[in-house]
Amino acid sequence: MICDSFLFIENENENQITNNELNKFSFKKYLNRPLNVCYIGAGYVGGTSSSVMAYKCPIDEVIVTVCDVDIKKINSWNSDNLPIYEPGLEEIVKDRRGKNLFFTVDIEKAIYLADIIFISVGTPTKKIGIGAGQAADLSFIEKAVRKIASISRNSKVIVEKSTVPCRTAEHIRAILNANQIKNNNNNTKNSSIHFEILSNPEFLAEGTAVNDILNPDRILIGGLQTKEGIEAQELLSKLYSYWVPEEKIIKMGLWSAELSKLTANALLAQRISSINSLSALCEEVGSDIQEISHACGLDSRIGPKFLNASVGFGGSCFKKDVLNLVYLSNYYNLPEVAEYWNQVITMNEYRKSRFVKNIFNKLFNTISDKTITIFGFSFKKNTKDTRESPAITVVLSLLREGAFIKIYDPKVSEKQIKYDIMENCDIQNYNDYISRMKVCSSCYEAADCSNAIVICTEWDEFTFIDYKRIYNNMIKPAFIFDGRLILNHKDLKEIGFFVEAIGKNFNKIF
C-alpha cells in the first residue's frame, strides 16, 4: 500500500515530500499501479465528490471506488437513473463509470485495496438520547471506522469528509488503534499498520455541486502537525492538485478544519436569517427587502451573496450544523454562544410561520376547503433534495387548516413528497392529509381551479410560465404568494392577481 512505501518511508536526509517533489510525483510510476481511493457512503457528498474526482484525475493514475451497504442506492448509481440530481453530474458519471469510477456493495474489498479512504456517511441530528435535537449522530461514522479497522492489513490515510463535531478525529483514532488487526504469532497489535487521519470538509452547495467541486473556493486539509500528519496532508494535496490550483489548497490544523465546516454553514445560515428578520420589518413599514438587499450588497464589506430573503432555508446542512454548534457551545459551558446561534434557527422557523399566517389572513382568515397550489417542493432549485424544505412546513400548516393542496415540482417525485408528509405529521392524520393532497405533472394542472398559488422553490421554470393562462383558470379572487421573490409582481397585478411577497407590503407603498 502507498502508506507503507511512500508516506512513512524513513529517509535520513528528508522526512517530508517537498512541493517540488510532490508536483513531479506520479502515483503509477512509484507504485507500479494507480492510487486506490475509496469513498464509504454513496450519498450526496460521497457520490458527487467521488465522481468529480474520478473525472478530473487521469484514468491510469487514480481509481475511485464508492461503496455502500444500500444495494438500491448502488444499483441506482450503476444505472441511467442516478439517486440524486445535480446539473452535469450524469454526464460525468457516464464518462468515467467502469473506467476509473466504480460503485459497489463489496465494502470489504474496497477498504482492503484502498490507499486513501474518505468517510462520507451521514451525520444526522440525534433524535433520541443525550443531545437529542442538537448533537450529531456519529453512529454511522463509528460503524465505518470499525469496518476499516477490521479489514485493513496495511497503513491507510483516513479522511473525514462527513461534517463532524470538532475533535471527532480523536475518537476515530481511538477506535482504529483499539481494533486494528493483530499479529497472528503473538496476538499483539500489528505495528506496521498506521492510520493517519485528516479532515477534508466539503463545501459544495446543492444545485451547483459539480461546479463547486470543479472550481472550489478552497480545499481545506487538516492534519496533525507530526511527520506522518504532514506527509498525509501532502499526499491528499497531490490528489487534489490534478485540478485544483496550489494556492487554493489550504493545509491547517486538524481541529481547525473540523470546526471550519460548521462555522461556514453557521455563518451562511446566520446571513439568511438576518435578511429574513429584516424582511418582516419591511412588511410592516412598507420598505422593499430587495432594494435593501441590493443597497447593502453593494458595500464591499458585506457583498451580495446570501442576501435573498425567502420563506426560509432548508437542506441537510444548515439547520443540522447550526444545532450542532449550539450543542458544542453548551457542552463546553458557553450558554451565551449557544443562545446566539440558536436564534438563527428560531428566526428561520419564525419566517416560515409568518409566511403561512399571511396566507391565512389574506384568504379572508379561512382556508378550509379552499384549494392552494404549491409551486416547488425541493428546498432549493436544481436539486430534488427535500430535506428540511420550507415547503414541508407550508404544506402541513395549510393541511392542518383544512385546505386542499395541489403540488408541482419538476424534479421531486410523488413518492418522496408523500414520504416527507408522513415523516412530519402524526400517523393518525396522514391518511386525511393525503386524501386532500394531489401531486401534479405540470404547473398548469396544479393551478387549475385553485384559490391561490404559493411559490416555495425558486425553479427557473416558474418565471417563464403563462400566468395569464393560469389566472383565467383560477377561482377569483386569485392570489399569488411569492416566497422566493422570483416573479414580476407588477405584471401579475396587471393580469389581475392579488400579489403578496416576502419582505414587501404593496398596501404601504404610498
Side-chain angles (χ1 to χ4, degrees), residues 262-277 306 312-314 317-323 341 343-345 347-348:
L262 291 180
T263 303
N265 278 346
L267 289 172
L268 293 174
Q270 176 202 47
R271 199 167 165 94
I272 296 172
S273 282
S274 294
I275 201 66
N276 277 343
S277 71
F306 284 82
F313 61 74
C317 293
F318 282 1
K319 181 178 180 180
K320 173 177 71 73
D321 291 352
V322 172
L323 288 174
W341 288 108
Q343 285 300 312
V344 172
I345 303 300
M347 181 52 61
N348 194 54

Side-chain angles (χ1 to χ4, degrees), residues 374-427:
I374 306 295
F375 278 2
F377 201 82
S378 59
F379 85 92
K380 64 185 290 189
K381 71 175 184 178
N382 293 334
T383 181
K384 58 183 179 181
D385 192 345
T386 61
R387 288 174 290 182
E388 299 294 339
S389 174
I392 298 173
T393 300
V394 172
V395 169
L396 284 172
S397 299
L398 297 175
L399 286 170
R400 291 188 190 103
E401 292 294 331
F404 289 91
I405 303 296
K406 298 167 74 177
I407 302 171
Y408 169 67
D409 187 286
K411 290 296 179 181
V412 182
S413 68
E414 180 175 356
K415 179 181 179 181
Q416 182 63 51
I417 291 173
K418 289 183 176 179
Y419 174 81
D420 288 327
I421 297 301
M422 180 180 66
E423 285 292 296
N424 290 277
C425 75
D426 295 331
I427 192 64

Side-chain angles (χ1 to χ4, degrees), residues 73-131:
K73 187 179 294 184
I74 292 298
N75 287 342
S76 185
W77 279 110
N78 284 319
S79 73
D80 292 330
N81 184 26
L82 302 187
I84 64 174
Y85 171 75
E86 274 294 328
L89 180 60
E90 183 178 352
E91 292 80 4
I92 285 175
V93 172
K94 289 182 177 179
D95 183 77
R96 288 305 175 101
R97 191 171 56 196
K99 298 175 183 176
N100 70 330
L101 175 63
F102 302 90
F103 299 93
T104 181
V105 292
D106 192 345
I107 298 176
E108 287 78 7
K109 182 179 180 181
I111 291 174
Y112 180 81
L113 294 175
D115 302 304
I116 302 176
I117 299 176
F118 289 85
I119 300 177
S120 54
V121 298
T123 54
T125 302
K126 287 184 68 175
K127 294 183 178 181
I128 59 175
I130 297 174

Side-chain angles (χ1 to χ4, degrees), residues 126-284:
K126 287 184 68 175
K127 294 183 178 181
I128 59 175
I130 297 174
Q134 292 184 342
D137 181 354
L138 300 181
S139 59
F140 298 114
I141 293 280
E142 182 170 336
K143 289 178 182 178
V145 173
R146 290 185 181 278
K147 178 66 73 172
I148 292 170
S150 68
I151 297 298
S152 299
R153 300 297 192 275
N154 301 83
S155 300
K156 301 180 188 299
V157 174
I158 311 300
V159 184
E160 298 172 334
K161 199 66 176 171
S162 304
T163 303
V164 295
C166 192
R167 304 196 78 87
T168 297
E170 282 185 334
H171 307 305
I172 293 176
R173 187 180 302 279
I175 295 170
L176 288 172
N177 289 342
N179 292 276
Q180 69 185 53
I181 298 295
K182 296 182 178 181
N183 289 311
N184 293 328
N185 296 333
N186 52 19
N187 201 35
T188 60
K189 292 179 182 178
N190 191 340
S191 60
S192 66
I193 298 179
H194 180 91
F195 298 106
E196 195 58 40
I197 302 161
L198 300 177
S199 174
N200 175 223
E202 55 81 16
F203 294 99
L204 56 87
E206 295 194 41
T208 59
V210 170
N211 185 66
D212 293 339
I213 303 172
L214 288 172
N215 304 287
D217 292 329
R218 75 289 200 200
I219 296 293
L220 302 187
I221 304 176
L224 294 179
Q225 297 309 293
T226 60
K227 178 179 77 72
E228 294 86 357
I230 292 171
E231 288 178 342
Q233 286 179 303
E234 296 289 354
L235 174 64
L236 189 55
S237 177
K238 166 60 181 172
L239 185 57
Y240 277 113
S241 69
Y242 280 116
W243 77 96
V244 180
E246 182 180 354
E247 63 271 16
K248 288 190 175 184
I249 302 175
I250 312 300
K251 304 180 188 72
M252 56 173 51
L254 188 53
W255 319 129
S256 296
E258 286 183 335
L259 190 55
S260 290
K261 176 57 189 297
L262 291 180
T263 303
N265 278 346
L267 289 172
L268 293 174
Q270 176 202 47
R271 199 167 165 94
I272 296 172
S273 282
S274 294
I275 201 66
N276 277 343
S277 71
L278 294 169
S279 73
L281 183 59
C282 287
E283 291 165 7
E284 296 300 325

